[in-house]
Amino acid sequence: HRYDTALESAKLDAVLIAAGRPAEIFQDDQHLPFKPNPHLLQWGPLTHHPDSILSYRRGEMPELLVYAPPDYWHKATPVPTLIEQAPINVRTVNDGMELYKHTKTLPRRTAFIGEIRVPEDSFGLKRVNPTKLLDHLHKLRSVKTPWEVACIREANHIAVTGHRAAEACFDAGGCEY
């Protein structure tokens, strides 16, 4: 419902949200830690799925394309159970061409939300990070969904356990080390 409203206000029919990818370390074969697009994280805990995309057409079920190249260097992280049980169509794709082909099935008025490092990152979509859509989504992000509130509660529960353990340690003469 939130995305339907945002897309309608921006006069768009669909949105493609890119997870992003870890930045490469200069002249090395390693990468910085992956930090997913926060707009994708609102759909679920997809914290280990770089190069994946979520597409949403107004009034339809969202589709998550999980990028999992079948080679020696990549180990695909399973999709969280929460996502598998959600009303989201989940599909695994093995190469970037499958992602590109999917974007060609989207309506003409589709926006891309994500980081652009090279022109190909937006899959040829012309509406990249449109201000009107992002402004609407940023406003919506300030109001937490019931799922987000539950996540905050769980995080606080975990934090309280850690703080109590630290307090007990300090009371017994321990230190932060």
Side-chain angles (χ1 to χ4, degrees), residues 112-125:
F112 174 88
I113 297 177
E115 183 177 18
I116 303 293
R117 293 192 188 145
V118 295
E120 293 81 16
D121 285 347
S122 65
F123 300 100
L125 295 172

Side-chain angles (χ1 to χ4, degrees), residues 11-33:
K11 297 180 178 27
L12 294 166
D13 297 319
V15 64
L16 185 76
I17 306 169
R21 69 171 56 104
E24 296 174 359
I25 296 174
F26 179 67
Q27 295 191 338
D28 200 342
D29 64 349
Q30 296 183 41
H31 295 81
L32 296 174

Side-chain angles (χ1 to χ4, degrees), residues 84-145:
E84 288 181 342
Q85 296 172 351
I88 295 176
N89 291 324
V90 179
R91 186 163 48 110
T92 300
V93 295
N94 297 316
D95 63 50
M97 189 51 83
E98 287 183 73
L99 296 173
Y100 180 75
K101 285 178 185 175
H102 174 77
T103 65
K104 295 303 163 202
T105 68
L106 297 171
R108 187 179 62 78
R109 295 186 316 163
T110 296
F112 174 88
I113 297 177
E115 183 177 18
I116 303 293
R117 293 192 188 145
V118 295
E120 293 81 16
D121 285 347
S122 65
F123 300 100
L125 295 172
K126 302 294 181 223
R127 294 167 181 87
V128 176
N129 298 317
T131 303
K132 189 162 185 162
L133 177 61
L134 285 178
D135 287 349
H136 197 105
L137 292 175
H138 290 314
K139 249 189 251 181
L140 292 175
R141 285 180 60 206
S142 68
V143 178
K144 301 304 176 206
T145 65

Side-chain angles (χ1 to χ4, degrees), residues 2 42 140-152:
R2 292 169 77 150
Q42 273 205 303
L140 292 175
R141 285 180 60 206
S142 68
V143 178
K144 301 304 176 206
T145 65
W147 176 73
E148 290 170 313
V149 171
C151 289
I152 292 167

Side-chain angles (χ1 to χ4, degrees), residues 46-74:
L46 296 161
T47 55
H48 301 290
H49 302 83
D51 293 316
S52 298
I53 59 173
L54 184 133
S55 65
Y56 179 70
R57 298 172 199 232
R58 268 197 309 191
E60 295 184 15
M61 190 171 303
E63 187 167 11
L64 173 66
L65 284 76
V66 178
Y67 183 68
D71 63 37
Y72 177 82
W73 298 105
H74 295 90

